[in-house]
């Protein structure tokens, strides 16, 4: 991300930052030892729960003392479990909570004896904590296969200020602190709030009961049922009881106790909560949220599974946004929006809100209804949602052209990271909580979304959507692995004759998810017989890294090949005409393209790869781009691709810089946002390399010459009728023009600054 365009940060990367658990927080807790974090020591041990016992139903009772000064919470839980194999112990997760072992009980459950007076009490011989695994182990007499048992526990926890587990947050009104008790459980922090089987595949139903002060409110995943009931011996508190949930993973459980205000949709089923003085800023989110939810119902052909949707804007929230089923949590800046009085909108903030909201809502199906069996497949959940956020936002804000923005905000930014030797595969084995947290990164989110977008195009959207619907219906309320999705998509692709019967989605996608990096496809034309040789190799920015790995085994990918020519000008067909089937090179024959005509590969940059050409074809493309009247014959996305590919190929030593700069020379008549955004990202590297050299002034003047026409076109003044792309382009152009000492830009910037500094309530568009 270039340092000169920080006012318009790449939206896709911001969405990554507004995603669950992308960064670790340093604990500031000064509490007693029983509440201090337990950091697992990595050993050669199995940290996965045994499968002899699986949960069926949790009945949870929690009392958070958020006004009493000690910030503890008292809890009681009954877990109905199914025994799948005879066993002599119950192993579940618990960390940072103190279990009252003298109270613990286990008894056999019989649905025929509702009073349970005659059920067998199971003897407990020992209880112990396994800190390395974050386990609480209960040794028992034999629990029999096929039987059900109820585990009954009482415990005390602490409302920490670490922003994970069941934690406390606050805000201030008239110098008075208002407290909030809230949750963030993904990936492995439900165990900090109550003893549980805290793995995503171990889904169960939840019956939640939350005690709260009478002057406050509580919400949870499901709607409230019945009336509140009093809390014995604590007359300032009452119990809120919630309907039984659908089967869901522990990391999706959520509840809040607060004194927020609420705004509701017309039918009352979609509600947004915020501080009283911020509730008016929820208007935009409330206007698009229900529309997005309805769009996803139509897209997936599956009705939203829960009876309501709550969203809370929290002042302290590490994850940025979290898709808890039926109760999503957001940082305030990711949900609250206030339109300026002059009618000018903060386009960047507004788009960020829409994208993050669309991301989390798509998870209600992909992630919540069907959940990854283990965190190794986190990329599938998050990559999918990071792609769907653009689909969902485009549905409610089509004028923004976010599907085009995706290429420069997500795809090309992912290339920058993935072209480093330090990159890692999308799908990566993880076990420990600290390892799981580490994979909430840009490769998981952004590259994950890019390869899913590629799959959408090579399967065709119709097949892609049908396959998704089949997958979601087949695995509803269960957990799944990547292979389950690949199977559903393959079955649909074969049915609709989109893929050859011998080709599977798994065979294709494994090369993209299990290998590090991405390829560059080199195009070498034979201008005498019309044939073309395509060769693939891993693209690395560091030439030394390329040489170091050249003698080793190199990865190969299944690459969908799309192309168009000067004669065809077909930029709409993104279905592959040929595959590179994990082979080093292939030859294309009988292409209808004359030696004097250019050919362009990777139409609309739907494939996750770069393209290099022989010198003659580059020159033909340059000639087309420099034609002021016809340069738009090449689509705007592919113009952005050509600039980004050329400058990065040159940086990697795979293309002469004179060709790369000749590609950029056309920018003197380019006014569209996408090519300029791609240019500025790539030029940042050159700027940093040249800034202390004698030749820097030539570079500076060259860039100023290129952007002069665009500078004159965008101007300094935002207007209400400006398109999203125009506003974003203006920000980038002005940032770079002033940074490079464009005389008029600097003069206007100083003029605006003086006016802003000296004028109360200035109208910045009319100094």
């Amino acid at each position: 991300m270039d340092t000169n365009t920080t006012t318009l940060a790449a939206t896709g990367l911001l969405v990554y930052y507004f995603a669950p658990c992308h960064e670790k927080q340093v604990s500031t807790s000064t509490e007693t030892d029983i509440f201090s974090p337990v950091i697992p020591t990595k050993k050669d041990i199995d940290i996965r729960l045994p499968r002899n016992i699986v949960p069926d139903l949790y009945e949870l009772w929690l009392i958070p003392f958020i006004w009493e000064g000690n910030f503890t919470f008292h809890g009681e839980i009954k877990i109905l479990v199914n025994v799948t194999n005879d066993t002599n112990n119950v192993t579940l997760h618990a960390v940072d909570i103190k279990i009252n072992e003298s109270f613990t009980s286990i008894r056999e459950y019989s649905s025929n004896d509702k009073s349970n007076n005659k059920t067998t009490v199971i003897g407990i011989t020992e209880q112990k904590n396994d800190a390395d695994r974050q386990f609480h182990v209960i040794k028992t007499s034999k629990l029999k296969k096929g039987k059900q048992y109820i585990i009954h526990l009482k415990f005390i926890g602490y409302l920490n200020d670490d922003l994970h587990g069941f934690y406390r947050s606050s805000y201030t009104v008239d110098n008075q602190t208002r407290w909030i008790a809230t949750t963030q459980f993904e990936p492995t922090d439900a165990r900090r709030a109550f003893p549980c089987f805290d793995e995503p595949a171990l889904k169960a139903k939840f019956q939640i009961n939350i005690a709260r002060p009478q002057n406050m409110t509580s919400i949870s995943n499901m709607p409230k049922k019945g009336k509140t009931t009093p809390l014995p011996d604590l007359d300032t508190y009452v119990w809120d009881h919630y309907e039984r949930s659908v089967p869901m993973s522990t990391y999706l459980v959520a509840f809040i106790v607060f004194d927020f205000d609420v705004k509701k949709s017309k039918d009352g089923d979609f509600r947004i909560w915020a501080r009283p003085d911020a509730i008016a800023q929820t208007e935009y989110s409330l206007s698009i949220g229900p529309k997005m939810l309805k769009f996803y119902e139509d897209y997936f052909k599956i009705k939203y599974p829960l009876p309501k949707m709550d969203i809370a804007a929290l002042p302290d929230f590490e994850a940025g946004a979290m898709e808890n089923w039926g109760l999503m949590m957001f940082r305030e800046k990711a949900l609250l929006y206030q339109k300026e009085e002059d009618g000018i909108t903060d386009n960047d903030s507004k788009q960020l809100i829409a994208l993050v909201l669309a991301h989390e809502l798509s998870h209600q199906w992909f992630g919540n209804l069907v959940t990854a069996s283990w965190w190794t497949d986190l990329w599938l959940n998050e990559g999918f949602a990071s792609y769907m956020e653009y689909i969902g936002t485009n549905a409610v804000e089509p004028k923004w052209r976010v599907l085009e923005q995706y290429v420069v905000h997500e795809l090309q930014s992912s290339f920058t990271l993935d072209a480093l030797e330090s990159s890692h595969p999308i799908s990566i084995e993880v076990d420990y909580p600290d390892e799981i947290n580490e994979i909430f990164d840009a490769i998981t989110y952004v590259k994950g979304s890019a390869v899913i977008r590629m799959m959408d195009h090579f399967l065709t959207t119709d097949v892609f959507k049908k396959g998704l619907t089949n997958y979601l219906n087949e695995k509803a309320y269960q957990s799944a692995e990547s292979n389950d999705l690949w199977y559903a998509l393959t079955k649909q692709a074969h049915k609709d004759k989109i893929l050859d019967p011998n080709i599977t989605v798994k065979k294709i996608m494994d090369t993209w998810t299990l290998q590090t990096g991405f390829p560059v496809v080199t195009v070498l034309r034979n201008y005498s017989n019309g044939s073309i040789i395509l060769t693939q190799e891993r693209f690395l920015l560091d030439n030394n890294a390329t040489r170091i790995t050249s003698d080793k085994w190199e990865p190969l990918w299944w690459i969908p090949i799309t192309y168009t020519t000067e004669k065809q000008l077909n930029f709409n067909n993104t279905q592959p005409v040929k595959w590179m089937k994990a082979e080093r090179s292939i030859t294309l024959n009988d292409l209808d393209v004359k030696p004097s005509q250019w050919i362009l590969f990777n139409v609309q940059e739907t494939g996750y790869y770069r393209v290099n050409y022989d010198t003659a074809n580059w020159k033909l493309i340059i000639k087309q781009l420099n034609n002021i009247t016809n340069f738009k014959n090449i689509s705007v996305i592919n113009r952005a691709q050509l600039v980004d590919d050329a400058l990065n190929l040159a940086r990697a030593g795979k293309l002469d810089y004179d060709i790369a700069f000749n590609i950029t020379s056309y920018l003197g008549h380019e006014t569209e946002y996408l090519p300029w955004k791609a240019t500025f990202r790539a030029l940042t590297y050159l700027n940093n390399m040249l800034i202390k050299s004698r030749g820097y002034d030539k570079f500076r003047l060259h860039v100023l010459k290129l952007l002069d026409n665009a500078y004159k076109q965008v101007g300094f003044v935002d207007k209400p009728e400006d398109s999203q792309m125009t506003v974003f382009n203006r920000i980038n152009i002005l940032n770079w023009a002033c940074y490079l000492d464009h005389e008029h830009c600097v003069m206007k910037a100083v003029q605006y600054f003086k006016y802003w500094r000296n004028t109360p309530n200035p109208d910045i568009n009319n100094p």
Side-chain angles (χ1 to χ4, degrees), residues 400-628:
W400 290 356
R401 294 164 57 193
V402 293
L403 295 178
E404 295 176 39
Q405 291 184 46
Y406 177 92
V407 173
V408 293
H409 288 175
E410 302 279 8
L411 177 69
Q412 292 177 1
S413 66
S414 179
F415 280 162
T416 304
L417 295 171
D418 207 21
L420 304 176
E421 197 170 21
S422 58
S423 186
H424 64 80
I426 297 175
S427 181
I428 187 168
E429 291 292 331
V430 289
D431 289 308
Y432 287 81
D434 55 345
E435 292 177 335
I436 295 167
N437 279 310
E438 287 171 1
I439 63 170
F440 283 83
D441 66 2
I443 295 297
T444 295
Y445 282 76
V446 187
K447 181 180 179 179
S449 71
V451 298
I452 290 170
R453 172 178 177 261
M454 177 173 65
M455 185 169 62
D456 183 353
H457 284 273
F458 74 64
L459 288 175
T460 72
T461 296
D462 183 57
V463 168
F464 180 69
K465 289 169 64 175
K466 288 178 183 176
L468 286 178
T469 298
N470 294 339
Y471 164 77
L472 292 171
N473 280 321
E474 176 70 22
K475 293 292 182 178
Y477 304 106
Q478 302 174 59
S479 63
E481 299 176 348
S482 298
N483 288 341
D484 296 313
L485 177 59
W486 302 157
Y487 175 78
L489 292 170
T490 299
K491 187 176 180 180
Q492 190 65 49
H494 288 166
K495 180 180 179 181
D496 291 357
K497 296 181 172 53
I498 293 299
L499 287 181
D500 185 278
N502 297 319
I503 299 175
T504 65
V505 172
K506 174 178 170 57
K507 185 180 291 185
I508 296 167
M509 294 303 291
D510 277 356
T511 66
W512 297 97
T513 63
L514 303 180
Q515 299 184 124
T516 302
F518 64 95
V520 53
V521 173
T522 300
V523 178
L524 184 61
R525 295 177 62 179
N526 185 322
Y527 292 89
S528 59
N529 65 17
S531 66
I532 294 178
I533 297 175
L534 304 181
T535 305
Q536 65 162 299
E537 63 178 325
R538 183 180 173 188
F539 179 81
L540 287 166
L541 285 173
D542 187 345
N543 279 321
N544 291 325
T546 304
R547 284 195 292 271
I548 289 170
T549 60
S550 61
D551 295 332
K552 300 178 182 178
W553 174 87
E554 291 188 39
L556 294 170
W557 289 265
W558 274 69
I559 303 175
I561 300 299
T562 57
Y563 70 87
T564 189
T565 67
E566 186 174 346
K567 179 181 179 181
Q568 295 171 328
L569 294 180
N570 182 2
F571 289 92
N572 296 318
N573 185 9
T574 57
Q575 192 175 349
V577 295
K578 189 77 174 178
W579 284 90
M580 294 189 76
K581 301 177 180 179
E583 49 200 331
R584 182 67 58 197
S585 64
I586 62 171
T587 301
L588 303 180
N589 295 303
D590 303 322
L591 275 69
D592 186 17
V593 53
K594 296 178 181 178
S596 60
Q597 296 174 331
W598 52 261
I599 189 168
L600 190 150
F601 283 80
N602 200 4
V603 175
Q604 304 294 25
E605 204 166 1
T606 54
Y608 189 72
Y609 58 94
R610 293 197 184 282
V611 184
N612 198 0
Y613 301 96
D614 59 66
T615 301
N617 196 70
W618 273 120
K619 288 181 177 179
L620 291 170
I621 291 172
I622 290 167
K623 181 181 177 182
Q624 178 73 63
L625 290 174
N626 283 317
N627 186 322
I628 297 178

Side-chain angles (χ1 to χ4, degrees), residues 79-82 106-122 146-151:
I79 311 174
L80 177 65
V81 298
N82 300 314
I106 300 175
R107 56 184 170 82
E108 186 179 328
Y109 173 75
S110 172
S111 59
N112 295 324
D113 181 13
K114 294 186 178 180
S115 66
N116 292 310
N117 292 329
K118 299 179 182 179
T119 55
T120 304
V121 175
I122 305 301
K147 297 282 189 179
Q148 289 187 304
Y149 298 86
I150 294 176
I151 306 163

